Amino acid sequence: MASGPRQKFDNPVIEWVDSRLPIFTLMNKEYGVFPTPRNFNYFWNFGAIAMVMLVTMIVTGITLAMHYNTSTAGAFDSVERIMRDVNSGWLIRYLHMNGASFFFIAVYIHIFRGMYYGSYKKPRELLWMLGVLIFLLMMATAFMGYVLPWGQMSFWGATVITNLFSAIPLVGDSIVTFLWGGFSVDNPTLTRFFALHYLLPFVIVGVVFLHVWALHVTGSNNPLGIDVKGPQDTLPFHPYYTMKDMFGILVFLIVYVAFVFFMPNALGHPDNYIPANPMVTPAHIVPEWYFLPFYAILRAITFDIGIPFTDIVFIEAKLGGVLAMFGSIAMLFILPFLDTHPIRSATFRPWYRIALFGFVVVFLILGVCGSKPAEGFWVPLSQLCTLLYFAFFVVAIPFFNKKEPVAELPPSIHQAVLTSQPVAAE
Amino acid sequence: MRTKILAAALLLSMVGFSSAHAAGEHIEYPDVKWSFEGPFGTFDRAALQRGFQVYKQVCSACHGMKKVHYRNLSALGYNEDEIKTIAAEYQITDGPNDEGDMFDRPGRPSDRFKSPYPNDNAGKFANNGALPPDLSLMIKARKDGADYVHALLTGYETPPEGEELLNGQHWNKYFAGHKIAMAAPLADGAVSYEDGTEGTVEQYALDVTHFLAWAAEPEMEKRKQTGIKVILFLVVFAGLMYAVKRKIWSKVH
Ligand code: HEM
């Protein structure tokens, strides 16, 4: 990957290595002098924070795996053994358990940042799509991780979610049997989920590598959403942003460990401290909080779709729900191609900004709907919010493409900072 | 603008969180002020010992606590000899021996609490078909577990007019559905405390719940103490990093 002339290092050992394998040159180029817009706000910390969480998950996860027993008979007890008898096992387990939640918090904020400042737009489309892929992989990883302690919610969550695949016409049931490795969620399901739960985080590491690589080709976006015009617009990544990231990471960690040490089960469900029992169905089966909005979309489709007033049904309700759920993530995936408005940052797009806040509110309401039993007024509310969720992408954004005025942008980041715009650097 | 966005996002997500778990029929339990609540909370050793006594003399007739070993009782303030004596009160089935036979021997500190029934079916058979659940994790396995169990133990009433109870059912105002297969386990004076504490149902319920809270989270005190140190460290470290960051950035402002 070495290209162009290499600068010599003073330290002879580093120089010896670098002239054979230019790894120090690479590090310096990508993380040392890497030119970074000078006007980042604290939203730009969440990429680094997500990275820290990914590493935390892998380190704590591998430690847990050393004590975990992958069998329906032993899984629950082995997790309790970790909690009670393994040295600092409770700490490792609570770090992992709450780490998943905080990983999602970081990534949700990271995604919001991208949507607010238009970071998904040209030339960063692929960077954004890799990000959505990471999000999908995280969801798969966390879903399978939640099955491992083999509590009531583990078992019933796995049963409900894997059953979704039976909605696929013709081959659905065979797929479900294939996923389960049998005719119900049982030992073969648990063992394969463990194997995949171990594997997927490393796939995530790979995609994160591509994500950062793509970032370093296009360079970072910034709160103004305008392009970097020259060196006066940027600062070297180190020490400016290494220090700022360090501070942001520490603040985030404070909130994270406050949960780990003082309310480790606040984000979980009490039923998962009851060993899995296929004969007893919990009153409400709810997934982890970070899935709730998507769970609400899944359950919002309570009606078959076909030709009205006839018996002809194209899409049964169950399949409709599955399609809506995956469709909601697909919307994020194709967002760069839906939004063709020339301005990136919502700072200069008042219409889009209002719609985006509306979208966030709708998403949070969906989250609440997902936690409630699918009855009463929660059903129409979920349906309304699902409609609004999709409307944001396929109605509002195309409308803004045509109608939202193109505001005048500051000439450069440098000038904006000097005249001390409200979005200037910290 | 930026801070406003951040504040709005935070606020909204909080609203989302706090309402996220509030599903289902809502029964309010009396809010007990437990000594183990809050970031500095600790267990009360005397209450733990009394609670253990209640468990041992009442609940253990029906409920096992498989996750707890006799050796863990040292956390309640018992010394090694006392624990050996407690464990030895139970006959534990061990084996097979060299001749291939199972045999009974007195319990040891390394044994798990002895369960009242050899298996779940025996437990169900003895209780009109309802299995008394293992209590090791009970406090963590219910929402507001400590308040709930305390309420449950003190919540027995005669059923309201028009409610029919089947054989083996009992009316409890705090149990989901109200019809519980456990008869009121506690009665005034059923356990005589050695430390002179009054033997009332309310006191027994408080003490045994305290004990169960410890059993569910034996690491709780250590966890909170460690947490305070970790947070103090991180706050100081973050402050330091903020100062360094300010210093570095002051050059470019
Ligand atoms: C993308 C990173 C990861 C995410 C989001 C994640 C998520 C989760 C979640 C949500 C749980 C259930 C926690 C609970 O309720 O107990 C879990 C459990 C578990 N995870 Fe992970 N995990 C990740 C990485 C890993 C890695 C790399 C390993 C290494 C093998 C691992 C091993 C385990 C084990 C053994 C358990 C079961 C023990 C337990 O439940 O505490 N995880 N994971």
Side-chain angles (χ1 to χ4, degrees), chain B residues 59-239:
Chain B
C59 323
S60 72
C62 302
H63 294 279
M65 290 183 78
K66 283 212 195 80
K67 303 282 181 279
V68 186
H69 298 76
Y70 293 109
R71 61 179 157 81
N72 299 129
L73 290 174
S74 62
L76 271 54
Y78 293 110
N79 64 33
E80 224 172 293
D81 289 332
E82 287 168 323
I83 292 172
K84 277 192 186 143
T85 315
I86 294 169
E89 290 170 24
Y90 299 89
Q91 288 296 311
I92 305 285
T93 306
D94 201 346
N97 63 14
D98 292 347
E99 287 148 28
D101 296 324
M102 302 303 279
F103 60 94
D104 282 351
R105 58 156 176 81
R108 302 189 197 116
S110 58
D111 286 320
R112 292 166 185 278
F113 274 22
K114 186 177 163 129
S115 294
Y117 306 109
N119 53 56
D120 285 358
N121 285 358
K124 279 188 204 155
F125 185 69
N127 289 281
N128 280 315
L131 178 69
D134 188 279
L135 292 181
S136 322
L137 282 164
M138 183 53 70
I139 303 295
K140 281 213 267 189
R142 296 288 181 278
K143 197 172 172 295
D144 298 329
D147 285 348
Y148 169 68
V149 171
H150 164 262
L152 185 79
L153 294 175
T154 53
Y156 284 89
E157 282 178 346
T158 42
E161 202 81 22
E163 291 282 357
E164 286 293 324
L165 289 180
L166 299 175
N167 185 27
Q169 283 188 332
H170 308 269
W171 189 265
N172 190 305
K173 61 177 162 176
Y174 298 115
F175 188 65
H178 303 297
K179 292 174 186 168
I180 187 167
M182 168 169 71
L186 299 169
D188 287 339
V191 178
S192 51
Y193 285 141
E194 285 148 29
D195 64 1
T197 307
E198 224 186 327
T200 60
V201 168
E202 171 67 16
Q203 188 62 39
Y204 297 147
L206 287 173
D207 291 341
V208 78
T209 305
H210 210 107
F211 169 71
L212 293 178
W214 164 79
E217 300 191 282
E219 88 300 343
M220 197 265 314
E221 292 180 345
K222 178 122 188 279
R223 165 158 63 73
K224 289 178 178 172
Q225 283 154 13
T226 315
I228 288 172
K229 287 183 215 142
V230 171
I231 293 210
L232 276 179
F233 168 78
L234 284 176
V235 167
V236 171
F237 193 24

Side-chain angles (χ1 to χ4, degrees), chain A residues 38 41-43 76-77 80-81 83-85 88 90 93-94 105 112 116-117 235 239-241 243-244 246-247 250-251 253-254 257-258 260-271 273-274 284 289 292 353 357 360-361 364 367-368 371-373 422-426, chain B residues 1-2 5-6 8-9 12-13 15-17 19-25 38-40 67-69 71-72 112 136-137 140-144 214-220 222-228 230-231 234-235 237-242 244-245 248-249 251-253:
Chain A
R38 56 195 305 153
N41 59 33
Y42 278 102
F43 272 122
F76 189 90
D77 287 343
E80 273 309 307
R81 238 183 68 74
M83 294 296 292
R84 288 158 191 268
D85 293 334
S88 301
W90 58 268
R93 200 251 174 154
Y94 280 156
I105 290 176
F112 172 76
Y116 190 85
Y117 296 108
L235 292 168
Y240 294 100
Y241 286 112
M243 276 318 299
K244 191 167 175 174
M246 185 70 173
F247 172 61
L250 286 167
V251 172
L253 287 184
I254 290 172
V257 301
V260 168
F261 287 110
F262 299 111
M263 36 190 163
N265 296 304
L267 299 171
H269 199 290
D271 278 24
Y273 283 107
I274 305 170
H284 306 295
W289 68 265
L292 290 176
R353 187 167 67 220
F357 279 129
V360 172
V361 172
L364 293 173
V368 177
S371 74
K372 304 289 180 189
V423 273
E426 282 298 311
Chain B
M1 184 69 222
R2 187 179 55 238
I5 299 170
L6 205 66
L12 281 170
S13 51
V15 175
F17 280 146
S19 42
H21 285 290
E25 185 205 6
F40 300 98
K67 303 282 181 279
V68 186
H69 298 76
R71 61 179 157 81
N72 299 129
R112 292 166 185 278
S136 322
L137 282 164
K140 281 213 267 189
R142 296 288 181 278
K143 197 172 172 295
D144 298 329
W214 164 79
E217 300 191 282
E219 88 300 343
M220 197 265 314
K222 178 122 188 279
R223 165 158 63 73
K224 289 178 178 172
Q225 283 154 13
T226 315
I228 288 172
V230 171
I231 293 210
L234 284 176
V235 167
F237 193 24
L240 216 66
M241 290 299 111
Y242 184 66
V244 174
K245 184 233 145 203
I248 290 172
W249 278 81
K251 284 180 243 156
V252 294
H253 276 252

Side-chain angles (χ1 to χ4, degrees), chain A residues 381-403:
Chain A
L381 186 63
S382 310
Q383 288 168 342
L384 175 69
C385 288
T386 302
L387 198 68
L388 290 171
Y389 180 103
F390 283 98
F392 173 76
F393 292 99
V394 298
V395 179
I397 286 183
F399 175 74
F400 298 153
N401 287 341
K402 289 214 191 74
K403 297 283 193 232

Side-chain angles (χ1 to χ4, degrees), chain A residues 98-168:
Chain A
N98 288 279
S101 285
F102 278 82
F103 195 8
F104 274 94
I105 290 176
V107 166
Y108 274 126
I109 298 176
H110 192 64
I111 294 175
F112 172 76
R113 187 280 315 264
M115 290 177 78
Y116 190 85
Y117 296 108
S119 304
Y120 51 85
K121 291 191 179 187
K122 191 169 179 270
R124 299 186 184 81
E125 302 94 324
L126 201 55
L127 172 59
W128 170 266
M129 291 160 82
L130 287 168
V132 179
L133 183 61
I134 293 171
F135 180 52
L136 266 175
L137 287 168
M138 277 174 66
M139 301 221 276
T141 309
F143 163 65
M144 289 190 272
Y146 193 59
V147 177
L148 301 185
W150 208 244
Q152 273 290 67
M153 277 302 161
S154 298
F155 178 86
W156 289 100
T159 301
V160 169
I161 301 298
T162 48
N163 248 319
L164 294 179
F165 290 90
S166 69
I168 300 169

